[in-house]
Amino acid sequence: MTADAVSDHGLWFRVESGSAASAVRRAAERLGQQLEIGAVRTAELAIVAAELTSNLVKHAEDGVLLLRPVRRGGQAGVELVAIDSGPGMADLTMSSRDGHSTAGTLGIGLGAILRQTDWFDGYSRPGRGTVLAVQVWPRGPLPALSWAGGLTRPLTGESVSGDGYAVRIAEGRHQVLTCDGLGHGPLAAAATDAALAAFRAAPAGSPAAVVQHLHRAMSHTRGAALAVAELAPDAGLLRFAGLGNISASVVAEGERRRGLVSLPGIAGHQRPVVREYEYPFPTGASLVMHSDGVVDRWQLDDYPGLVASGPLVMAATLLRDAGLRRDDACVLVARAPS
């Protein structure tokens, strides 16, 4: 990786003025070239990055943008997530049409984004802000949509996050990991990176068996709080095993939120007790997991219609509203694979 390459963790940009546009555009072009998505798609990616940045400058409050690689099905593309706490939109679909404008412009920004991207999702509420997520892939068959999505954001002032997540399918088992390395900065990130690598390489097994595997694999690190969940839609169940302060809930629109049990302990240290629990996971439910850098007081009722958005947009919305700037933060959302 060259010194100016964009890592899989991505780059966060705070968009406070038009001067951010050139930095975002250059980074997007660099990432397109790095992933070899092709000259034409890289140029279109640059347009998308510029339009998203412009929308944040014109309409947003506290606008931020995440640029990162996205890998699925052996392919690599580029993902951008724009998040703001601005006035929001009453009708995101209407606002995406060419000619619709709320700022006296030509009203082609969101329309241009839709035309240049391979995947687009968003959520907006008046007075609550907007989340837009897009992906640009090389020309050719597109990979299937992911059944899980998440984001990590480092503590303000840090360049790396000690929080992380991973998604895998191991011999038909759909499993996710959320991890919070102890402390902050590079050593916390090293512990989480070790957990993510061990999770991806772990033998297929139950969440409890995977957590035990991670515990053994992380003995050389400072340790972490972590949790592994497995979605078993055919059985209507979710299996879960956690150590330390990882929050997890099963949520569904119109239903009461159900918290999952994570036991005390630090993966990589001591001899933690690992237990696995089963929970009902009905059709239409979502699993939400997050680190303690996200305040655990959010309620799905505050976000009408959010479950109609994809897992990534749901995760980004919760990170925006419940994430702490004085701590690393991570949110992951998973749904039963179709």
Side-chain angles (χ1 to χ4, degrees):
M1 182 182 294
T2 62
D4 61 352
V6 180
S7 76
D8 281 3
H9 296 292
L11 295 173
W12 283 96
F13 296 87
R14 186 170 293 279
V15 181
E16 297 175 330
S17 67
S19 61
S22 59
V24 173
R25 183 175 184 126
R26 286 196 303 271
E29 290 174 332
R30 187 165 69 244
L31 182 54
Q33 294 164 0
Q34 176 185 324
L35 298 178
E36 299 180 345
I37 67 173
V40 172
R41 293 305 279 148
T42 297
E44 292 168 342
L45 169 64
I47 293 172
V48 170
E51 291 290 350
L52 282 173
T53 307
S54 175
N55 282 340
L56 289 173
V57 171
K58 292 173 184 175
H59 307 292
E61 297 172 12
D62 300 321
V64 294
L65 186 143
L66 172 64
L67 169 73
R68 64 182 180 181
V70 56
R71 305 180 193 278
R72 199 156 61 242
Q75 299 185 57
V78 178
E79 186 167 75
L80 299 101
V81 185
I83 305 171
D84 74 75
S85 302
M89 292 173 269
D91 189 332
L92 182 58
T93 300
M94 176 66 72
S95 299
S96 302
R97 295 175 182 170
D98 287 349
H100 180 85
S101 173
T102 59
T105 64
L106 293 177
I108 60 174
L110 286 180
I113 292 169
L114 284 170
R115 286 192 298 274
Q116 307 291 345
T117 56
D118 297 300
W119 174 83
F120 173 97
D121 193 14
Y123 179 76
S124 188
R125 295 289 294 174
R128 297 295 299 271
T130 301
V131 171
L132 298 175
V134 302
Q135 293 174 359
V136 177
W137 294 87
R139 292 298 186 198
L142 297 177
L145 292 177
S146 179
W147 49 276
L151 304 92
T152 62
R153 186 181 66 196
L155 166 74
T156 299
E158 290 284 358
S159 59
V160 294
S161 174
D163 292 356
Y165 70 92
V167 178
R168 75 171 192 166
I169 303 175
E171 296 183 7
R173 293 176 178 262
H174 290 74
Q175 297 181 335
V176 294
L177 163 71
T178 300
C179 184
D180 181 352
L182 294 190
H184 308 290
L187 291 180
T192 290
D193 286 346
L196 269 56
F199 174 75
R200 295 185 180 108
S206 68
V210 175
V211 169
Q212 291 281 16
H213 176 86
L214 300 183
H215 169 66
R216 294 189 295 270
M218 296 173 63
S219 61
H220 65 291
T221 74
R222 62 166 54 177
L226 56 79
V228 173
E230 177 178 308
L231 283 65
D234 291 344
L237 294 174
L238 182 140
R239 302 182 179 100
F240 181 86
L243 290 175
N245 198 12
I246 297 294
S247 296
S249 304
V250 173
V251 299
E253 193 157 36
E255 300 291 334
R256 187 174 179 180
R257 174 180 166 190
R258 179 166 190 169
L260 312 187
V261 174
S262 186
L263 298 179
I266 302 172
H269 292 268
Q270 307 161 356
R271 281 191 182 175
V273 175
V274 178
R275 291 189 184 134
E276 184 174 311
Y277 300 88
E278 289 188 348
Y279 300 90
F281 198 69
T283 302
S286 298
L287 166 69
V288 180
M289 299 171 65
H290 59 76
S291 67
D292 64 359
V294 177
V295 177
D296 195 30
R297 292 194 296 269
W298 57 269
Q299 294 295 332
L300 191 60
D301 289 346
D302 294 334
Y303 302 96
L306 180 58
V307 294
S309 301
L312 174 59
V313 166
M314 186 172 178
T317 302
L318 296 178
L319 178 66
R320 177 195 65 194
D321 294 348
L324 300 173
R325 290 288 181 182
R326 61 181 182 274
D327 198 357
D328 298 328
C330 172
V331 183
L332 176 140
V333 175
R335 297 192 183 135
S338 56

